[in-house]
Amino acid sequence: MRPPSKRSFFWFSEKTIYVETAGQTTRLSLSSRAQILAFICAIGVVFWISFSGLMLFSKGIGAPSIPASPINNAINTSETEVFAEELNAITQQSLSVKSQLSAALVEMRQMQNAEITASEQQEQLQYKLALALNELQALKRQHAGERNASAEGSIAPNALSVPPRPEQASPIDKVSQALSQTAKAKLETEQNLAAALSARDALELEILLIEQKYEQLFRQIEEALTISVKPLDKVLRASGLNSDSLLNTVRQGYSGRGGPAFGLETNLADLSAEEARALGILNSVAKLDHYRIAINKLPFAPPVTAAHRFTSGFGPRWGRMHRGIDLAAPKGTPILATADGVVTFAGTFSSYGKLVKIKHDFGYETRYGHLSKIRVKKGQRVSRGEAIGGMGNTGRSTGTHLHYELRYKGKALNPMNYIKAAKDVF
């Protein structure tokens, strides 16, 4: 069969018929092929009717004119009945073809309506499912936010966007696809939520361990500072000094600060409990450092650490005031500075023989007499424990020994009170 020409398609192009019944509009689509088939059927019926009528008419005209007779009349009557029956049969066939065509058109219209209705219902169902999934995801995110869960494992918004509407898919396939997507999204949401909760629990445990570690560290530091400060405070009080007044003096002389944080003021009301505790530890460390400075600057150390004998104490002796103590050891035994200071005298002085005087902070002065040798010079700065000379027998002396004096603002003090007070420190 030859394909239809373009001209025929122009006359029999696809047509759409809209029929409005009972307030509803029904759409009927007639393709080019259906129109051509109906046209051919109609032409065939018309041609058959025309041909049959022509044959009857021809027989009537071309028959010889003979007298009518009962036999001829019977023949004509029978032929007429045959032709009438044939015409009736043709008419019935035409009506049957027409009814079949109408039934086909009605069935086609019903199928189209059913397909359109099913497609629309499926699209509405799929759209409602997508909206339900989005609402479910919003509730999951809200629940995760209330529990301070991490948002790293949340489902991307694109995963729950409204799915596209496929044009060629059956209703069962569409519903199955929507249900599959719903189940997959729900599983991913539950997995991400479980992972976020697990991460949160691990983080809380880690924070708890860190807090316990810092609590133990703070407690150890506080205990160590308490243990370190108590003996130093005991030394100062045992020597008769006012520790508070002495530490204030140290703070005034050693209070320099600097650096990027210099000048910042700390308001205790703005600090948390942990920050206030840490600040207290820093203050205790600063106090300990002030104690260390005071101990190093005050003459608490013994002038002789080698083996020696205590031969004379502080106080009246032979009718006179003995303003120091005597320590005996072999000649040349090292004599040590008992605190940091500056040498103010190094030479021979009256009954002291070879004498070294050292000026210390806070108004203190120490004297070392009867030396055999002097190892420092006037104006030299010395440190606690530094050798300044050797034990000797110069000046008014009955044997090799050290005469050691301690003075505060010119007044002689008993050196043993300081040496004994710091016995467990040095």
Side-chain angles (χ1 to χ4, degrees):
M1 178 182 291
R2 298 174 59 186
S5 63
K6 295 182 179 179
R7 187 176 184 82
S8 64
F9 278 117
F10 174 77
W11 288 104
F12 299 101
S13 59
E14 184 176 356
K15 295 179 174 58
T16 303
I17 301 174
Y18 294 91
V19 179
E20 184 176 357
T21 57
Q24 295 184 352
T25 302
T26 303
R27 186 183 65 179
L28 298 179
S29 298
L30 296 178
S31 63
S32 299
R33 182 173 297 177
Q35 296 179 47
I36 293 173
L37 182 61
F39 181 76
I40 291 173
C41 292
I43 292 297
V45 172
V46 173
F47 179 77
W48 178 262
I49 295 173
S50 300
F51 179 75
S52 300
L54 182 62
M55 290 296 294
L56 292 175
F57 181 75
S58 297
K59 288 182 178 182
I61 295 177
S65 178
I66 56 175
S69 64
I71 298 174
N72 290 336
N73 291 335
I75 293 173
N76 291 334
T77 302
S78 63
E79 289 181 353
T80 302
E81 292 177 354
V82 170
F83 288 142
E85 291 178 357
E86 291 180 355
L87 182 60
N88 188 25
I90 292 173
T91 304
Q92 293 295 332
Q93 291 179 357
S94 177
L95 292 176
S96 177
V97 171
K98 184 177 179 181
S99 63
Q100 291 179 0
L101 180 60
S102 299
L105 292 176
V106 171
E107 185 178 359
M108 184 184 301
R109 182 187 61 186
Q110 292 176 353
M111 291 177 62
Q112 289 179 349
N113 291 338
E115 183 177 357
I116 292 173
T117 303
S119 177
E120 291 178 353
Q121 290 178 354
Q122 175 57 27
E123 289 176 357
Q124 292 177 0
L125 177 60
Q126 186 175 359
Y127 184 74
K128 290 180 180 179
L129 287 174
L131 292 179
L133 289 177
N134 285 334
E135 187 173 346
L136 175 62
Q137 178 59 17
L139 291 176
K140 291 290 185 180
R141 285 197 299 266
Q142 182 179 1
H143 179 67
E146 291 176 355
R147 302 188 64 175
N148 296 324
S150 173
E152 296 177 358
S154 60
I155 297 177
N158 292 333
L160 292 176
S161 60
V162 177
R165 302 180 177 181
E167 297 180 358
Q168 297 179 355
S170 64
I172 297 178
D173 293 338
K174 293 178 181 179
V175 173
S176 300
Q177 182 180 2
L179 292 177
S180 176
Q181 292 178 355
T182 302
K184 183 178 179 181
K186 180 179 179 182
L187 180 59
E188 292 180 355
T189 302
E190 291 177 351
Q191 291 176 350
N192 292 332
L193 180 60
L197 293 177
S198 177
R200 185 204 63 181
D201 294 340
L203 183 60
E204 290 179 352
L205 178 59
E206 184 178 357
I207 293 175
L208 179 61
L209 294 177
I210 293 175
E211 290 178 351
Q212 292 178 352
K213 181 179 179 181
Y214 278 107
E215 172 66 22
Q216 182 180 6
L217 181 61
F218 281 169
R219 186 170 59 254
Q220 291 176 351
I221 293 175
E222 290 171 348
E223 292 175 355
L225 291 173
T226 301
I227 295 173
S228 300
V229 169
K230 280 185 177 180
L232 299 178
D233 186 71
K234 183 179 179 180
V235 168
L236 296 179
R237 296 186 184 279
S239 60
L241 297 174
N242 188 334
S243 59
D244 295 333
S245 176
L246 183 61
L247 291 179
N248 288 333
T249 304
V250 173
R251 291 190 190 96
Q252 294 174 3
Y254 298 88
S255 60
R257 294 184 298 169
F262 177 70
L264 297 178
E265 299 296 335
T266 302
N267 188 1
L268 296 179
D270 298 334
L271 298 179
S272 62
E274 291 77 8
E275 292 173 340
R277 188 175 184 182
L279 183 60
I281 292 176
L282 293 177
N283 292 334
S284 297
V285 171
K287 185 176 181 180
L288 178 63
D289 195 44
H290 293 155
Y291 271 108
R292 179 189 59 81
I293 293 173
I295 295 297
N296 287 334
K297 298 297 181 181
L298 293 175
F300 286 107
V304 180
T305 56
H308 62 278
R309 289 187 306 110
F310 180 80
T311 58
S312 182
F314 178 85
R317 187 185 64 172
W318 306 330
R320 298 180 58 185
M321 182 64 181
H322 188 228
R323 294 182 174 85
I325 58 174
D326 294 339
L327 304 175
K331 183 179 180 181
T333 299
I335 305 302
L336 311 177
T338 56
D340 300 343
V342 179
V343 176
T344 58
F345 182 86
T348 302
F349 182 75
S350 184
S351 59
Y352 287 97
K354 292 182 178 181
L355 174 68
V356 172
K357 292 182 181 180
I358 300 178
K359 181 181 179 181
H360 307 282
D361 290 346
F362 315 118
Y364 285 89
E365 180 188 71
T366 53
R367 297 183 180 186
Y368 311 84
H370 309 305
L371 302 180
S372 61
K373 187 176 182 180
I374 297 177
R375 301 179 181 274
V376 293
K377 297 179 180 180
K378 181 180 180 180
Q380 180 179 343
R381 181 171 292 277
V382 295
S383 301
R384 177 174 56 83
E386 183 178 349
I388 59 175
M391 189 177 293
N393 191 27
T394 59
R396 188 165 62 186
S397 172
T398 59
T400 302
H401 72 284
L402 169 68
H403 175 77
Y404 173 61
E405 292 184 7
L406 171 62
R407 299 190 177 221
Y408 175 69
K409 294 182 179 181
K411 180 181 179 181
L413 303 176
N414 186 356
M416 289 304 298
N417 292 338
Y418 288 76
I419 295 175
K420 289 180 179 179
K423 180 179 180 181
D424 297 331
V425 177
F426 300 103

Short mmCIF file of all heavy atoms in Angstrom, two decimals, residues 94 105 152 158 195 239 282 337 350 387:
data_model
loop_
_atom_site.label_atom_id
_atom_site.label_comp_id
_atom_site.label_asym_id
_atom_site.label_seq_id
_atom_site.Cartn_x
_atom_site.Cartn_y
_atom_site.Cartn_z
N SER A 94 -24.26 -1.56 6.01
CA SER A 94 -23.80 -0.17 6.20
C SER A 94 -24.07 0.30 7.62
O SER A 94 -23.23 0.94 8.26
CB SER A 94 -24.49 0.73 5.18
OG SER A 94 -24.11 2.07 5.39
N LEU A 105 -15.33 4.37 18.27
CA LEU A 105 -15.06 5.73 18.73
C LEU A 105 -15.40 5.91 20.20
O LEU A 105 -14.68 6.57 20.96
CB LEU A 105 -15.85 6.72 17.87
CG LEU A 105 -15.42 6.83 16.40
CD1 LEU A 105 -16.36 7.76 15.65
CD2 LEU A 105 -13.98 7.31 16.30
N GLU A 152 25.54 17.63 60.16
CA GLU A 152 26.38 17.15 59.07
C GLU A 152 25.73 16.01 58.31
O GLU A 152 25.93 15.81 57.13
CB GLU A 152 27.74 16.70 59.60
CG GLU A 152 28.54 17.84 60.20
CD GLU A 152 29.86 17.36 60.78
OE1 GLU A 152 30.10 16.14 60.74
OE2 GLU A 152 30.63 18.20 61.23
N ASN A 158 17.54 18.37 48.02
CA ASN A 158 17.21 17.85 46.70
C ASN A 158 16.73 16.42 46.75
O ASN A 158 16.05 15.94 45.84
CB ASN A 158 18.44 17.93 45.79
CG ASN A 158 18.81 19.36 45.49
OD1 ASN A 158 17.94 20.23 45.52
ND2 ASN A 158 20.06 19.64 45.23
N ALA A 195 23.43 8.21 63.51
CA ALA A 195 24.84 8.62 63.49
C ALA A 195 25.06 9.91 64.26
O ALA A 195 26.04 10.07 64.99
CB ALA A 195 25.30 8.78 62.03
N SER A 239 61.06 33.61 111.79
CA SER A 239 62.15 34.58 111.92
C SER A 239 61.67 35.90 112.51
O SER A 239 62.48 36.82 112.68
CB SER A 239 62.79 34.83 110.55
OG SER A 239 61.83 35.35 109.64
N LEU A 282 46.57 31.00 89.42
CA LEU A 282 47.59 31.96 88.95
C LEU A 282 48.01 32.91 90.07
O LEU A 282 49.21 33.24 90.20
CB LEU A 282 47.04 32.75 87.76
CG LEU A 282 46.80 31.95 86.47
CD1 LEU A 282 46.19 32.85 85.40
CD2 LEU A 282 48.10 31.33 85.97
N ALA A 337 77.76 33.63 100.74
CA ALA A 337 76.78 34.70 100.96
C ALA A 337 75.45 34.08 101.33
O ALA A 337 75.00 33.11 100.72
CB ALA A 337 76.64 35.56 99.71
N SER A 350 89.43 46.84 111.82
CA SER A 350 89.53 46.76 113.27
C SER A 350 89.66 45.31 113.74
O SER A 350 90.39 44.51 113.16
CB SER A 350 88.31 47.46 113.88
OG SER A 350 88.41 47.47 115.28
N ALA A 387 80.55 31.87 96.96
CA ALA A 387 81.72 31.95 97.85
C ALA A 387 82.29 33.36 97.81
O ALA A 387 82.56 33.90 96.74
CB ALA A 387 82.76 30.93 97.43
#
